[in-house]
Amino acid sequence: MYALFEDAGKFQTGRILSEAESSAQIELESGKRLKAKAANILLKFEKPTPGVLMAEATALSATMELDLAWEFAPTDEFSFQELAQEYFSDNATLAQQTAALISLFQAPHYFRRSGKGKFKKASADVLQQALAAIEKKKHIQQQIEAWALALGEGTCPDPIAAQLYKILFKPDKNAPEYKAVVEASRATHLAPLALLQKAGAITSAYEFHWQRFLFDNFPKGIGFPSLEAPVIKDVLPKSTAQAYSIDDSQTTEIDDALSVQGLGTGEVIVGIHIAAPALALTPGHGIDQIARQRLSTVYMPGNKITMLPDHVVQSYTLQEGRDCPAVSLYLRVNEATLDILGSETCLEKVYIAANLRHDMLDDVVTEAWLANPATALPAGKDIPQMPHAQLEFLYRLAQHRKAQREVVRGKPENFNRPDYNFRVNTLEGLAPMGDEKVEISQRHRGAPLDLMVAEAMILANSTWGQWLADLGVPGIYRSQASLLPGVKVRMGTKALPHAGIGVPCYAWSTSPLRRYTDLVNQWQIIACAQHGNTAALAAPFKPKDVDLFSIISAFEAAYSSYNGYQSSMERFWTLQYLQQNAIEEVEATIFKAFEGEPPIARADNFPLVLPVVGGGNLPRGTRVLLRISGIDNISLDLHGQLIEVLQDAATLSGEIIAQAQPDEDDETPAGPLAIAVDVDEVPAAEVSQP
C-alpha cells in the first residue's frame, strides 16, 4: 500500500510500512522513513508506483486550464477529488485527482487553502487583482532580465543610471534596478561597482565620493530650513581693545581674534576673543537643533558643509570693521618674563580691526621680519594694519608657552612634516565637479602666525576648562593619560590632563561657529561669567547630565565620519594633481615596513601615502624614487614601483624621521589620510600622522 501525504508544505509519496490510528510510518523511494499524521495522508493506493503516479500527475497538471478549473469549481468549500470530478469526469483517475491537487496547491491566487486537501475558490475581484499583480511581476522580471543583459554587454539602462548612487550606497533590495545589477553581477562575475564602471554608469569619480558621503551622513540633503538668527539681547560693554583674526582666505566662520594692549608698560594685556553665538542661541532653539544634528562643519578641498546656515554665521562671525559680540579672555602678562599674572573673562563687544590671512602673510611674517621690521619683504607684500610690535610680542609669548608645555610633555614637539593647503579652482559660488585645476602648497607647522594662534587657543581652552572645573560646572573635555604608544585622546566631562599638549585640562571652546562641542562649552563659560560661584545652578548643562554624554557620543561618530571624508577627498585631489601635472615619478620615505608585504612610503613633496612595489625588506626611513602607476580615482588606489634607493634609512635625534605610528587625535590637514578641522588651535601633539 502506498500513500500520498503532505509534509512541511510539500507532497510526498511512499510505501506504508505500518499504520496506527493517528499516524503511519512511510518509506520514501529514497529509503528515508517518515512518520506522517493520519490527517496529512491525502490518498492511499495500490498502484501505480509512487514515482509513476507523480510523473503522470505532474505532466497532467501542466495541461489544466486554471480559468476553466475556477469556473467548474464549487462555490463552497471543496476537496481536490471533487474538483477532479468536475474538471475531468465523475470517474476521475488517481492520476487526475493528484493532478488536480497539484494544480490547486500551485494556484493560491485562484484557490485558497481551507484545510488538509480542502480549498475554496477566490472571488472574481480578488482573482482579477491577483492576476494583474502576477502579470505585473512577470513584466518586471522581464525588465530585470533585459536590464541585466544590457549591463552585461557594457550599457547602463537609464532607470539604473537614475538610481545609481542609491543602488550603490543605500539600496532598496526589492527594487528592480537593484535586482538587475545583482543578476548582471552574478552573470558576469564582476563586483557591482566594477560592473557599473564598465557599463559607463559612473561618469564622475568626484560625484561618486560626494554622493556616498551624502547618503551616509546627509540623506535628506545639505540645505537648511528657513530660520532667522536670533539677536543678542544682552547689553554688552565696548572693549578698548582692537582685535585681529588670523585665518586662511577660504575661512568664513571666523571664530577667534587676538589683541595686545599695554606694550612698554611692563604688564601687557593679551586678549583672546571668541565669537559668541551662545549669547543669542539657547539649547533647544531651532538653530541649535540644526547644529546638534550636524555637530561640526565638514571640510574638504574646494568645498565645505557648514554646521550653521551662512546667514547665522555672518550674524556672529568676527568680521573686520565692526564691533562684534565676543567672549573674551584677558591675560595679564609680565612683559619681561612672559609669565601670566592673572586672567579675566568678559562678555563684551570688541572691534575687529582686520581679518588677516595665513596664505597672504605667512611668507611675510617670518622670524627674520619679526626680529627686524626693516627686513626686506617679498615684492608687493605688506603688513595690513596690525603693528609689528604686537605680532612680535605674540610670537615671543607663543614660543614661551610652547617651551613650558614641552617641559610638561617631557619631550619637544617636532614639526618634521609639512601640512598641505589645497586650492581647487572652481567658479565662485559653485561646488567643485572633480575636473577643476588643483593647486597644492605646503604650510609649515610652527610658522610664526600659526604658532601665535595655536598657542593662544590652547591657552584659552586650558584656562576656561580649568575655570569650569573650579566652579563645579561640567564641560566637554579632551584628555590623554600619557604619551605611551596606544594611549588615545578621549572625550569626557572630567577635567583630566592632556599629555599630548602638556596642559592640566583641555576643553574645546574657541570654535563655536564650527564645532558643537565648543558651542556647548561656551554656554557653560557664559554662565560662569554671568553668575560666578553660583554658575553650576544656572548653567544649561548640570553635572552628570545625560545630554552631555549623548552629545559626546554623537560628536565622536560624526567627527570621525567627516574627517574620513576629508581624508579621502584630499587623496582624490592629490591623485588629480599628479594626473594634471603628468607627474610619473616621486621621491618618498618609507615609514612602515611589514614582514612579507610591500612597505608603505610617504611622498616627500606631496600629501601622498602609497605602497612600494618591489620594496622588499627596505627599512623605515629609507628614501626612494618611485614610478607612479595604477591610479584609480574611484578606489583611490595607486602603486609606486621602486626605481632606486636614494638614501639608506636615517634617523634624526634618535627618532625615525617619518613616524610609523599615527597620533590618535588626528585634527590637522596633513595629507590624503589626515583629518582636519581647525588648525588654529592644534599643536604638534595633535597633528595627524597617517
Side-chain angles (χ1 to χ4, degrees):
M1 178 72 70
Y2 301 111
L4 184 150
F5 63 99
E6 184 179 349
D7 178 58
K10 295 181 180 180
F11 295 123
Q12 305 271 21
T13 55
R15 184 165 60 92
I16 299 174
L17 298 178
S18 63
E19 194 170 4
E21 183 177 347
S22 60
S23 65
Q25 188 80 10
I26 300 176
E27 182 181 55
L28 306 182
E29 284 191 324
S30 64
K32 182 179 180 181
R33 296 184 178 186
L34 296 176
K35 184 178 181 180
K37 292 181 179 180
N40 290 345
I41 297 176
L42 303 174
L43 286 174
K44 292 181 182 179
F45 54 97
E46 293 287 349
K47 58 182 181 178
T49 63
V52 172
L53 173 65
M54 291 306 293
E56 185 180 349
T58 301
L60 191 58
S61 70
T63 67
M64 290 185 65
E65 296 181 26
L66 291 174
D67 287 332
L68 189 60
W70 184 83
E71 290 286 349
F72 286 160
T75 305
D76 297 327
E77 181 181 276
F78 60 91
S79 68
F80 66 94
Q81 292 99 333
E82 290 175 303
L83 179 67
Q85 292 170 354
E86 292 287 344
Y87 187 87
F88 293 106
S89 72
D90 290 342
N91 298 315
T93 66
L94 186 65
Q96 290 172 336
Q97 293 177 39
T98 306
L101 175 64
I102 293 172
S103 294
L104 287 166
F105 194 80
Q106 292 179 345
H109 46 297
Y110 282 91
F111 309 98
R112 62 181 178 83
R113 300 184 66 182
S114 185
K116 297 297 180 181
K118 300 289 186 178
F119 297 86
K120 192 170 185 178
K121 71 178 184 179
S123 67
D125 290 343
V126 170
L127 177 60
Q128 290 305 312
Q129 292 175 8
L131 290 175
I134 291 171
E135 186 62 29
K136 180 180 179 181
K137 185 176 180 180
K138 181 179 177 182
H139 175 74
I140 291 174
Q141 183 57 39
Q142 291 173 343
Q143 184 67 80
I144 290 171
E145 292 171 359
W147 286 343
L149 181 62
L151 286 169
E153 293 174 347
T155 303
C156 183
D158 290 341
I160 290 179
Q163 296 287 321
L164 175 66
Y165 299 111
K166 185 176 182 180
I167 292 169
L168 285 172
F169 309 134
K170 229 168 194 179
D172 174 3
K173 295 186 178 181
N174 292 316
E177 295 86 357
Y178 174 80
K179 290 181 178 180
V181 172
V182 172
E183 188 170 318
S185 178
R186 288 172 180 164
T188 59
H189 303 290
L190 291 173
L193 178 58
L195 172 73
L196 291 166
Q197 281 184 271
K198 187 177 179 181
I202 300 174
T203 57
S204 168
Y206 179 87
E207 189 69 9
F208 170 83
H209 295 294
W210 174 245
Q211 291 296 334
R212 178 172 62 179
F213 176 72
L214 294 184
F215 266 97
D216 287 342
N217 296 277
F218 295 89
K220 296 182 180 179
I222 59 174
F224 290 101
S226 180
L227 290 170
E228 291 297 322
V231 177
I232 296 175
K233 298 179 180 179
D234 303 66
V235 178
L236 302 174
K238 176 71 165 56
S239 172
T240 59
Q242 288 197 349
Y244 300 81
S245 69
I246 306 174
D247 295 279
D248 289 317
S249 292
Q250 298 94 331
T251 301
T252 56
E253 303 148 294
I254 303 174
D255 292 290
D256 54 83
L258 305 175
S259 67
V260 178
Q261 301 176 81
L263 286 172
T265 65
E267 185 174 296
V268 177
I269 306 298
V270 173
I272 302 171
H273 311 280
I274 307 301
L279 284 172
L281 306 177
T282 55
H285 186 277
I287 294 176
D288 168 57
Q289 292 176 15
I290 293 172
R292 184 162 177 177
Q293 288 173 357
R294 299 199 173 195
L295 293 162
S296 171
T297 290
V298 187
Y299 295 91
M300 66 208 79
N303 199 9
K304 67 179 178 180
I305 304 172
T306 58
M307 181 179 76
L308 297 171
D310 184 65
H311 72 279
V312 175
V313 170
Q314 297 311 312
S315 297
Y316 311 123
T317 190
L318 302 183
Q319 182 64 45
E320 67 181 4
R322 70 186 192 193
D323 294 325
C324 297
V327 179
S328 297
L329 175 66
Y330 286 104
L331 303 164
R332 294 185 294 110
V333 183
N334 185 299
E335 192 168 4
T337 65
L338 300 178
D339 292 335
I340 295 176
L341 307 176
S343 64
E344 180 185 9
T345 298
C346 300
L347 310 179
E348 60 184 7
K349 286 188 175 182
V350 61
Y351 181 72
I352 308 300
N355 296 140
L356 306 180
R357 303 297 183 178
H358 278 291
D359 48 325
M360 298 173 63
L361 296 176
D362 275 350
D363 59 348
V364 173
V365 183
T366 61
E367 290 188 27
W369 181 84
L370 290 169
N372 181 9
T375 301
L377 300 178
K381 293 286 186 176
D382 196 4
I383 302 296
Q385 301 183 45
M386 192 168 187
H388 171 274
Q390 294 186 28
L391 287 171
E392 190 275 335
F393 181 80
L394 286 174
Y395 185 53
R396 282 198 301 117
L397 179 62
Q399 289 178 306
H400 178 71
R401 295 296 305 173
K402 178 176 181 291
Q404 287 185 319
R405 289 192 302 101
E406 287 177 341
V407 171
V408 178
R409 290 182 81 242
K411 61 180 180 179
E413 294 174 345
N414 293 319
F415 299 107
N416 50 27
R417 279 184 50 220
D419 290 342
Y420 291 91
N421 293 324
F422 290 78
R423 185 176 298 278
V424 179
N425 296 311
T426 59
L427 295 176
E428 187 172 353
L430 296 179
M433 299 299 293
D435 55 358
E436 293 83 358
K437 185 74 174 177
V438 59
E439 300 171 10
I440 300 176
S441 59
Q442 288 190 9
R443 174 184 172 185
H444 293 283
R445 294 290 298 173
L449 285 176
D450 182 88
L451 190 65
M452 293 177 205
V453 177
E455 291 300 328
M457 298 307 113
I458 292 170
L459 188 53
N461 288 328
S462 57
T463 301
W464 276 330
Q466 190 60 58
W467 192 37
L468 290 174
D470 292 343
L471 293 177
V473 177
I476 297 177
Y477 292 87
R478 296 175 69 78
S479 62
Q480 187 178 19
S482 76
L483 292 179
L484 293 174
V487 179
K488 298 182 178 182
V489 174
R490 305 289 186 184
M491 295 187 74
T493 59
K494 294 183 179 180
L496 300 174
H498 194 310
I501 302 179
V503 292
C505 64
Y506 189 72
W508 266 345
S509 312
T510 53
S511 295
L513 294 176
R514 44 187 167 178
R515 269 196 312 245
Y516 191 68
T517 52
D518 301 54
L519 180 62
V520 168
N521 281 339
Q522 190 175 85
W523 277 317
Q524 304 296 85
I525 292 167
I526 288 173
C528 294
Q530 292 176 333
H531 301 280
N533 291 331
T534 61
L537 300 175
F541 299 94
K542 311 303 180 186
K544 298 183 180 180
D545 194 324
V546 294
D547 236 13
L548 278 180
F549 295 104
S550 174
I551 290 167
I552 290 172
S553 176
F555 178 84
E556 289 186 310
Y559 206 53
S560 176
S561 178
Y562 297 170
N563 288 342
Y565 178 65
Q566 181 187 351
S567 302
S568 67
M569 293 318 296
E570 288 185 356
R571 188 171 180 86
F572 171 83
W573 287 110
T574 300
L575 299 186
Q576 291 290 95
Y577 180 84
L578 295 177
Q579 294 169 307
Q580 290 173 0
N581 293 279
I583 296 173
E584 297 179 352
E585 296 181 359
V586 298
E587 295 181 6
T589 303
I590 292 174
F591 74 100
K592 281 188 180 180
F594 305 98
E595 186 71 29
E597 295 183 21
I600 307 297
R602 180 180 290 113
D604 292 347
N605 299 311
F606 308 106
L608 184 64
V609 171
L610 70 167
V612 179
V613 179
N617 296 318
L618 290 175
R620 294 163 47 200
T622 305
R623 292 193 62 250
V624 292
L625 179 64
L626 305 176
R627 179 176 288 108
I628 298 297
S629 64
I631 293 179
D632 187 331
N633 290 322
I634 296 290
S635 66
L636 302 180
D637 287 337
L638 80 163
H639 301 287
Q641 181 70 42
L642 178 66
I643 299 176
E644 63 175 304
V645 174
L646 300 177
Q647 186 178 358
D648 291 337
T651 59
L652 180 64
S653 300
E655 296 183 4
I656 298 295
I657 293 176
Q659 300 294 326
Q661 295 297 326
D663 187 319
E664 298 294 343
D665 195 23
D666 292 333
E667 299 170 17
T668 310
L673 299 180
I675 5 187
V677 236
D678 189 358
V679 299
D680 292 347
E681 60 185 85
V682 186
E686 298 208 16
V687 172
S688 60
Q689 300 278 346

